[in-house]
Amino acid sequence: VQLQASGGGLVQAGGSLRLSCVASTRISSNLLIGWFRQAPGKEREFVAATRRGTGGPRYADSVKGRFAVSTDNAKRTLFLQMNSLEPEDTAVYYCAADFTPGPLSTWQDSNGYGSWGQGTQVTVSS
């Protein structure tokens, strides 16, 4: 599956952004799709992921209550609504997907995703 991410930008702390990720295929129950981010000098880290029919998205502890994932299946799009942004959220955000996902406990492992988008920069100023 091919992924195209967009929506990044520069925002002040406390502000909001919404990222979009358009997939080349419909977002079926077979597809695990989510977001990772990578800040300068740091490893890529899990942000959130979702799979239809599995009881809802999963989030990293650092973004729970501030970020929300949703999908628009008609538009083949995954969204990441980011509220109450903090300077620590500054990173390149990548959407990722896989048609053969492992159990929920593995969703935070970037090795479980075979397809990646190109990344979109999010910068939060203090």
Side-chain angles (χ1 to χ4, degrees), residues 6-81:
S6 63
L10 174 64
V11 64
Q12 289 188 334
S16 299
L17 279 176
R18 188 175 79 158
L19 305 184
S20 300
C21 175
V22 179
S24 61
T25 184
R26 58 186 292 266
I27 301 176
S28 67
S29 59
N30 293 330
L31 189 67
L32 173 65
I33 189 165
W35 294 93
F36 286 75
R37 67 186 182 185
Q38 188 166 18
K42 295 187 177 181
E43 294 186 353
R44 190 169 296 187
E45 65 173 359
F46 172 78
V47 175
T50 188
R51 180 183 175 190
R52 291 181 63 190
T54 59
R58 299 295 184 268
Y59 298 94
D61 289 343
S62 59
V63 306
K64 279 181 182 176
R66 300 189 299 121
F67 290 11
V69 165
S70 62
T71 58
D72 183 332
N73 294 325
K75 297 181 180 179
R76 295 178 282 110
T77 302
L78 172 75
F79 299 102
L80 181 66
Q81 178 66 43

Side-chain angles (χ1 to χ4, degrees), residues 77-98:
T77 302
L78 172 75
F79 299 102
L80 181 66
Q81 178 66 43
M82 305 186 294
N83 300 323
S84 302
L85 282 162
E86 303 167 353
E88 292 74 21
D89 296 317
T90 295
V92 177
Y93 284 70
Y94 298 90
C95 59
D98 201 274

